Amino acid sequence: MKLSTKPAEAGTGFVAVRKFLHAGQPSYPRTLDLEADPAEELRITLPPATLVGPALRRVLARYGQRGGVGRLCGGSARRLHYHRIETTEDPDRPYDYGPPHVLEGVISFVTGAITVGQNADGKILLHCHSGFINGDGALHGGHLLLDTVEVGDDPLIIRLCLFSRGAFVVNSDEETHFSLLHPTPME
Protein backbone atom coordinates (compact mmCIF):
# COMPACT_ATOMS: atom_id res chain seq x y z
CA MET A 1 0.00 0.00 0.00
CA LYS A 2 1.42 3.37 -0.94
CA LEU A 3 0.17 6.67 0.38
CA SER A 4 1.17 9.81 -1.41
CA THR A 5 0.13 13.35 -2.17
CA LYS A 6 1.50 16.34 -4.03
CA PRO A 7 4.76 17.61 -2.56
CA ALA A 8 4.53 20.56 -0.22
CA GLU A 9 4.35 23.81 -2.13
CA ALA A 10 5.42 27.11 -0.63
CA GLY A 11 2.41 29.08 0.58
CA THR A 12 -0.18 26.38 -0.20
CA GLY A 13 -0.57 24.91 3.26
CA PHE A 14 -0.02 21.37 1.90
CA VAL A 15 2.22 19.14 3.96
CA ALA A 16 3.99 16.26 2.26
CA VAL A 17 2.59 12.86 3.25
CA ARG A 18 5.00 10.06 4.04
CA LYS A 19 5.05 7.12 1.61
CA PHE A 20 4.73 3.62 3.02
CA LEU A 21 6.03 0.61 1.06
CA HIS A 22 5.19 -2.57 2.94
CA ALA A 23 7.30 -5.75 2.80
CA GLY A 24 4.54 -8.15 1.75
CA GLN A 25 3.19 -9.02 -1.68
CA PRO A 26 1.35 -5.96 -3.04
CA SER A 27 -2.33 -6.44 -3.71
CA TYR A 28 -3.15 -3.69 -6.17
CA PRO A 29 -5.69 -2.57 -6.97
CA ARG A 30 -7.01 -3.25 -3.47
CA THR A 31 -10.72 -3.59 -4.11
CA LEU A 32 -12.88 -5.25 -1.50
CA ASP A 33 -16.56 -5.00 -2.18
CA LEU A 34 -19.75 -6.19 -0.52
CA GLU A 35 -23.20 -4.94 -1.37
CA ALA A 36 -25.35 -4.61 1.76
CA ASP A 37 -29.09 -4.19 2.15
CA PRO A 38 -30.44 -0.93 3.57
CA ALA A 39 -28.71 0.07 6.75
CA GLU A 40 -29.77 1.38 10.12
CA GLU A 41 -28.74 4.90 11.15
CA LEU A 42 -27.94 5.70 14.79
CA ARG A 43 -27.20 9.01 16.50
CA ILE A 44 -25.53 8.45 19.85
CA THR A 45 -24.89 11.17 22.43
CA LEU A 46 -22.48 10.21 25.21
CA PRO A 47 -22.56 12.39 28.35
CA PRO A 48 -19.51 13.79 30.17
CA ALA A 49 -17.26 11.28 32.00
CA THR A 50 -18.42 8.34 29.81
CA LEU A 51 -15.78 5.87 28.55
CA VAL A 52 -16.52 5.75 24.82
CA GLY A 53 -15.50 2.18 23.86
CA PRO A 54 -17.53 0.33 26.52
CA ALA A 55 -20.53 2.62 25.95
CA LEU A 56 -20.51 1.98 22.18
CA ARG A 57 -20.20 -1.79 22.71
CA ARG A 58 -23.27 -1.73 25.00
CA VAL A 59 -25.28 0.07 22.30
CA LEU A 60 -24.01 -2.18 19.48
CA ALA A 61 -24.76 -5.39 21.43
CA ARG A 62 -28.48 -4.65 20.93
CA TYR A 63 -28.12 -4.90 17.12
CA GLY A 64 -26.44 -8.30 16.71
CA GLN A 65 -23.42 -9.17 14.60
CA ARG A 66 -22.97 -6.64 11.85
CA GLY A 67 -20.52 -4.10 10.62
CA GLY A 68 -20.80 -0.39 10.24
CA VAL A 69 -19.13 2.93 9.73
CA GLY A 70 -19.50 6.18 11.57
CA ARG A 71 -18.28 9.67 12.39
CA LEU A 72 -17.36 11.58 15.50
CA CYS A 73 -19.50 14.66 14.87
CA GLY A 74 -18.51 16.85 17.78
CA GLY A 75 -17.76 17.00 21.44
CA SER A 76 -14.79 16.87 23.73
CA ALA A 77 -12.64 14.52 25.77
CA ARG A 78 -10.75 14.96 29.00
CA ARG A 79 -8.41 12.00 28.43
CA LEU A 80 -7.45 9.77 25.50
CA HIS A 81 -4.70 7.64 23.97
CA TYR A 82 -3.77 7.51 20.30
CA HIS A 83 -1.11 5.86 18.12
CA ARG A 84 0.75 7.01 15.04
CA ILE A 85 2.56 4.86 12.46
CA GLU A 86 6.33 4.67 12.93
CA THR A 87 9.20 3.06 11.08
CA THR A 88 10.50 -0.15 12.68
CA GLU A 89 13.68 -2.22 12.37
CA ASP A 90 11.65 -5.32 11.34
CA PRO A 91 12.09 -5.94 7.58
CA ASP A 92 8.88 -8.02 7.47
CA ARG A 93 6.84 -5.24 9.08
CA PRO A 94 8.68 -1.97 8.43
CA TYR A 95 5.79 0.15 9.79
CA ASP A 96 3.78 -0.33 12.94
CA TYR A 97 1.86 1.66 15.50
CA GLY A 98 4.23 3.34 17.94
CA PRO A 99 3.67 3.64 21.68
CA PRO A 100 0.50 5.45 22.72
CA HIS A 101 0.46 9.22 23.04
CA VAL A 102 -1.60 10.31 26.04
CA LEU A 103 -3.54 13.57 26.11
CA GLU A 104 -5.33 14.97 29.15
CA GLY A 105 -7.16 18.21 29.76
CA VAL A 106 -9.49 19.99 27.35
CA ILE A 107 -9.50 18.11 24.03
CA SER A 108 -11.86 19.10 21.21
CA PHE A 109 -12.67 16.71 18.37
CA VAL A 110 -12.26 18.02 14.83
CA THR A 111 -13.15 14.82 13.00
CA GLY A 112 -13.16 11.06 13.39
CA ALA A 113 -13.97 8.02 11.29
CA ILE A 114 -15.12 4.83 13.02
CA THR A 115 -15.29 1.31 11.59
CA VAL A 116 -17.35 -1.25 13.51
CA GLY A 117 -16.00 -4.75 13.00
CA GLN A 118 -15.58 -8.07 14.73
CA ASN A 119 -13.03 -10.77 15.30
CA ALA A 120 -13.54 -14.40 14.24
CA ASP A 121 -15.42 -15.07 17.51
CA GLY A 122 -17.89 -12.25 16.89
CA LYS A 123 -16.44 -9.86 19.51
CA ILE A 124 -17.11 -6.21 18.58
CA LEU A 125 -14.03 -4.29 17.43
CA LEU A 126 -13.95 -0.51 17.14
CA HIS A 127 -11.38 1.11 14.85
CA CYS A 128 -11.11 4.90 14.79
CA HIS A 129 -8.87 7.49 13.17
CA SER A 130 -9.40 10.96 14.51
CA GLY A 131 -8.14 14.52 14.60
CA PHE A 132 -8.39 16.65 17.73
CA ILE A 133 -7.04 19.82 19.33
CA ASN A 134 -5.62 20.04 22.83
CA GLY A 135 -6.14 22.93 25.26
CA ASP A 136 -3.04 24.74 23.92
CA GLY A 137 -4.45 24.72 20.38
CA ALA A 138 -2.06 22.03 19.06
CA LEU A 139 -3.52 19.67 16.45
CA HIS A 140 -3.13 15.93 17.06
CA GLY A 141 -4.32 12.87 15.18
CA GLY A 142 -3.93 9.19 14.58
CA HIS A 143 -5.42 5.84 15.55
CA LEU A 144 -7.66 6.68 18.51
CA LEU A 145 -8.11 4.00 21.18
CA LEU A 146 -11.82 4.44 21.93
CA ASP A 147 -11.58 2.36 25.12
CA THR A 148 -9.36 5.09 26.63
CA VAL A 149 -11.46 8.10 25.59
CA GLU A 150 -13.27 9.76 28.49
CA VAL A 151 -15.86 12.28 27.31
CA GLY A 152 -15.13 15.83 28.43
CA ASP A 153 -17.50 18.61 29.43
CA ASP A 154 -19.18 18.69 25.99
CA PRO A 155 -21.18 15.54 25.14
CA LEU A 156 -19.70 13.41 22.35
CA ILE A 157 -21.98 12.97 19.35
CA ILE A 158 -21.47 9.91 17.15
CA ARG A 159 -23.34 8.96 13.97
CA LEU A 160 -23.25 5.27 12.97
CA CYS A 161 -24.56 3.43 9.94
CA LEU A 162 -24.94 -0.31 10.66
CA PHE A 163 -25.13 -2.74 7.74
CA SER A 164 -28.08 -5.13 7.59
CA ARG A 165 -26.35 -8.28 6.36
CA GLY A 166 -22.68 -7.50 6.26
CA ALA A 167 -19.79 -7.14 8.67
CA PHE A 168 -16.12 -6.27 8.76
CA VAL A 169 -14.25 -9.34 10.03
CA VAL A 170 -10.56 -9.36 11.01
CA ASN A 171 -8.28 -11.28 8.64
CA SER A 172 -4.54 -11.12 8.07
CA ASP A 173 -3.26 -9.10 5.14
CA GLU A 174 -0.33 -10.38 3.04
CA GLU A 175 0.89 -6.95 1.98
CA THR A 176 0.93 -5.03 5.27
CA HIS A 177 1.27 -7.96 7.71
CA PHE A 178 -1.48 -6.26 9.73
CA SER A 179 -4.81 -7.72 10.75
CA LEU A 180 -7.36 -5.78 8.68
CA LEU A 181 -11.15 -5.59 8.67
CA HIS A 182 -12.54 -7.24 5.51
CA PRO A 183 -16.18 -6.96 4.29
CA THR A 184 -17.96 -10.26 4.88
CA PRO A 185 -21.58 -11.32 4.21
CA MET A 186 -23.65 -12.14 7.31
CA GLU A 187 -27.10 -13.69 7.74
Side-chain angles (χ1 to χ4, degrees), residues 25 36 43 48 58 63 77 112 116 145 155:
Q25 181 64 39
R43 182 182 189 276
R58 285 191 298 274
Y63 293 89
V116 177
L145 302 175

Side-chain angles (χ1 to χ4, degrees), residues 2-9 12-20:
K2 292 183 182 178
L3 301 176
S4 64
T5 188
K6 295 179 183 178
E9 298 176 27
T12 65
F14 286 109
V15 176
V17 174
R18 295 179 294 165
K19 295 181 181 181
F20 298 101

Side-chain angles (χ1 to χ4, degrees), residues 14 20 36-37 39 74 93 100 113 143 158 176:
F14 286 109
F20 298 101
D37 287 336
R93 193 166 169 165
H143 172 69
I158 300 171
T176 64

Side-chain angles (χ1 to χ4, degrees), residues 54-103:
L56 282 179
R57 283 186 183 84
R58 285 191 298 274
V59 170
L60 292 167
R62 300 179 209 157
Y63 293 89
Q65 291 182 318
R66 43 169 121 172
V69 293
R71 303 282 318 156
L72 297 178
C73 297
S76 67
R78 58 178 58 132
R79 180 177 173 79
L80 59 78
H81 296 158
Y82 69 100
H83 293 282
R84 296 185 59 184
I85 293 287
E86 295 183 358
T87 305
T88 73
E89 301 295 323
D90 182 351
D92 291 326
R93 193 166 169 165
Y95 308 100
D96 204 347
Y97 287 116
H101 298 271
V102 178
L103 282 183

Side-chain angles (χ1 to χ4, degrees), residues 125-140:
L125 300 176
L126 300 170
H127 187 89
C128 182
H129 289 186
S130 181
F132 32 91
I133 299 172
N134 69 11
D136 295 331
L139 183 63
H140 298 264

